Structures are given as C-alpha cells and as structure tokens.
C-alpha cells in the first residue's frame, strides 16, 4: 500500500512538472499600427511570469507568411517578447505556438489589411474606353485647325494668291515710314540728353535709312551733298512734286555745322528740325498712291476670220 501511494505521488509530480508555466500579457504594441500584405510588422508583448523565458532555438514558419525573428528582453521582473512577421495574406492570421524556455506562447493573432477593395472575386463588367477631361474639345479644336489650314491653303493657291500678294506689297511699302517714325521718337526721347552733334548724327542716320529703303539704294554712307541731290528722286518715289522733300536740305546743312564745325545749335532749332522731318515724311507718305489690285480683263479677243 505504501509503495502504491509513493508511485502515485511521483506521477502527480511528473505531470505537474510537464505542464508549461503560466504567464500574463500585460501590454501589446504593434509597429506600425496598420499594415498591408507584404509589409513587415513587429509585435512587442510584455509578459509577467515567474518562469524562465528564453529565445527559441527554432522558429516555426506559418503558412501565411514568415517570422523574421523572436527576441526576449528582460525588463524589471517582466519580459518583452519581440516578434517580427511579414504576412502575405490579408485577414486575421494566427501566430504558431512559440516555446520560450518554460512557457509556451500561443493564441496570438495578426490582423492584416488589404489594399484591394472588398468585392467578390470574378470578372467585372466591360467598361468603355476612358477619355481624359477636355479630350472632345481638343479633338474638335484639332479638326477645326486642320480644316482651317486646308481652306487657307486652297484660298492662297487659288483666288487669294493675288490678294495676299497685294497685302504684302502694301505692308512692305509702309515699313520705311513706320521705321522712320520709330527712330525719330528715339531721337526725341534723348533730346534733353544728347548734344547737338549727337542729335544730328542720329536724325541724319534715320533719314538715310528712310531714303535707302524708298529709293532702293545704299544711302547710309552718303554725304549731305549726295543726300541733297537725291531729294528730288525721293519726292518722285512718293509721287510728290520734285521739291516735296527740299526742306530736308536745311537739316543736312545744320548737321554738317554741328558735326564738323562744332556749332552750338539751340535746342529750340533742333526741336523745329525734328518736327520738319516728321511733317515732310507725312506729306510724302500721303502723296504716295497705294497699290490697287488689278482687275482681270473681261474683253474677249475677236477671232481671226479667214478670207
């Protein structure tokens, strides 16, 4: 009887020693707080237990992902267990049982979100081609531009060719006068700054360029005498009387006096000469007859009649 009692006590003691030690999880931290499929996550569990807690020798791998490491860090009578996992499936996943020394850590779960919408699997309905905002307006604009370019091309190659040539010729005829006015405005802007010599150099250069464009010859190197001799030709180029540009001779004479004799010419006289150039140019421009489109001939030639 005593032997049987002793054997029973030994069996109970061995069973008690075979049971894993108890523990309490006091806190849980997840880093990061939210993760998706394929994102590595670290869980930190703080355990309170009297048993010995050690890192496992072998780490089991779950079917839904991988476990990177399991670390045990003692902290003031407690143990912090860090588990790094990388899930490859969404949903609530259960960690495998981990043997940490005298305790077995089990029943832990992981919640993994998915970037996909929560919709039933299967093929979706066919969706028509998508167009960016403004595509229709862009296509209409391109079509209108192509049609307009074709119409312009046909017009230029057809009846509009004569009109275009006339328009370009009229524009070119106005260029010398507009350029002269622009140069004279620059001279006027510097009237209070430039000396008499600088003033007449600038105003004569503007007249030389104007005469060269109107006469179709080089006048920038012409002397005052040569420019004076060309004044009747300048008037005839504008269909004006021969003496229509004669007033410019006085400006050429004053320019020679200022440039070569260093004559002191009053500012009031310079203002008068500037106004004279503008007035003469305006009269010449008004005398010039604009180009007119030649009307097509409607007369029919009489056929030759044999005798």
């Amino acid at each position: 009887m005593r032997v049987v009692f002793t054997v029973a006590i030994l069996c109970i003691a061995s069973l008690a020693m075979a049971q894993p030690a108890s523990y309490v999880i006091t806190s849980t931290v997840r880093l990061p707080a939210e993760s998706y499929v394929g994102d590595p996550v670290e869980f930190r569990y703080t355990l309170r237990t009297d048993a010995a807690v050690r890192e496992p020798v072998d780490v089991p791998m779950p079917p839904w992902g991988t476990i990177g490491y399991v670390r045990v860090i003692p902290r003031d009578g407690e143990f912090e267990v860090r588990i790094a996992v990388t899930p490859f499936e969404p949903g609530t996943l259960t960690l495998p049982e981990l043997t940490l020394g005298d305790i077995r850590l089990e029943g832990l779960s992981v919640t993994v979100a998915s970037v996909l919408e929560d919709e039933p699997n299967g093929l979706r309905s066919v969706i028509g081609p998508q167009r960016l905002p403004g595509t229709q307006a862009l296509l209409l604009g391109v079509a209108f531009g192509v049609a307009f370019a074709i119409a312009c091309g046909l017009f230029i190659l057809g009846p509009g060719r004569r009109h275009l040539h006339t328009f370009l010729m009229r524009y070119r005829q106005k260029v010398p006068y507009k350029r002269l006015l622009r140069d004279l405005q620059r001279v006027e802007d510097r009237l209070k700054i430039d000396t008499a010599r600088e003033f007449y150099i600038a105003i004569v250069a503007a007249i030389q360029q104007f005469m060269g464009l109107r006469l179709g010859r080089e006048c920038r190197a012409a002397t005052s005498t040569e420019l004076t001799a060309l004044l009747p030709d300048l008037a005839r180029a504008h269909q004006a009387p021969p003496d229509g540009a004669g007033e410019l001779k006085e400006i050429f004479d004053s320019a020679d006096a200022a440039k070569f004799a260093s004559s002191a010419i009053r500012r009031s006289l310079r203002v008068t000469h500037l106004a004279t150039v503008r007035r003469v140019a305006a009269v010449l421009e008004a005398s010039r007859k604009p180009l007119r489109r030649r009307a097509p001939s409607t007369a029919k030639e009489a056929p030759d009649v044999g005798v």
Side-chain angles (χ1 to χ4, degrees), residues 176-178 180-181 184 206-207 210 214 234 238 240 244-245 247-248 274-288:
Y177 178 66
K178 292 182 178 180
L180 175 64
L181 295 181
L184 294 179
I207 297 174
F210 175 72
R214 279 287 183 242
L234 179 64
H238 291 81
E247 294 182 68
L248 298 180
L274 184 62
T276 299
V277 176
R278 284 176 171 163
R279 178 169 47 79
V280 171
V283 172
L284 294 177
E285 188 68 15
S287 301
R288 185 177 57 84

Side-chain angles (χ1 to χ4, degrees), residues 35-40 64 86-91 93 112-115:
S35 61
Y36 299 91
V37 175
D39 295 339
W64 44 261
T86 303
F88 299 125
E89 296 180 8
L93 310 175
V112 182
S114 175
V115 295

Side-chain angles (χ1 to χ4, degrees), residues 22-29 44-54 71-82 100 103:
S22 62
Y23 62 89
V24 177
I25 299 177
T26 59
S27 66
T28 302
V29 178
R44 298 180 180 181
Y45 302 99
T46 302
L47 307 181
R48 182 178 299 167
T49 180
D50 295 331
V53 182
R54 296 183 300 273
R71 297 173 183 171
V72 177
I73 303 174
R75 294 188 183 278
D76 299 332
E78 296 180 337
F79 297 92
E80 183 180 80
V81 180
R82 297 184 178 183
L100 307 178
I103 67 172

Side-chain angles (χ1 to χ4, degrees), residues 82-202:
R82 297 184 178 183
I83 305 174
V85 300
T86 303
F88 299 125
E89 296 180 8
T92 302
L93 310 175
T94 302
L95 290 172
E97 181 180 298
L98 299 175
T99 302
L100 307 178
D102 296 340
I103 67 172
R104 293 179 184 175
L105 196 61
E106 58 184 355
L108 303 179
S109 60
V110 179
T111 302
V112 182
S114 175
V115 295
L116 300 178
E117 298 179 357
D118 189 11
E119 294 182 354
N121 296 330
L123 297 177
R124 296 184 178 181
S125 59
V126 178
I127 300 177
Q130 300 296 316
R131 291 180 298 184
L132 296 175
T135 303
Q136 185 174 2
L138 178 61
L139 294 177
L140 291 176
V142 172
F144 177 78
V146 172
F148 181 76
I150 294 175
C152 290
L154 294 176
F155 179 77
I156 293 174
L157 296 177
R161 184 175 183 179
R162 184 169 58 254
H163 296 278
L164 179 62
H165 178 73
T166 303
F167 172 78
L168 293 177
M169 289 299 297
R170 290 179 178 177
Y171 174 78
R172 290 173 183 173
Q173 286 189 348
K174 294 180 180 179
V175 169
Y177 178 66
K178 292 182 178 180
R179 187 172 298 178
L180 175 64
L181 295 181
R182 183 185 60 194
D183 294 340
L184 294 179
Q185 184 61 45
R186 292 176 181 174
V187 174
E188 184 179 8
D189 293 339
R190 298 185 57 86
L191 184 61
K192 297 181 180 180
I193 303 175
D194 292 344
T195 62
R197 184 175 185 276
E198 294 171 340
F199 170 82
Y200 282 103
I201 289 176

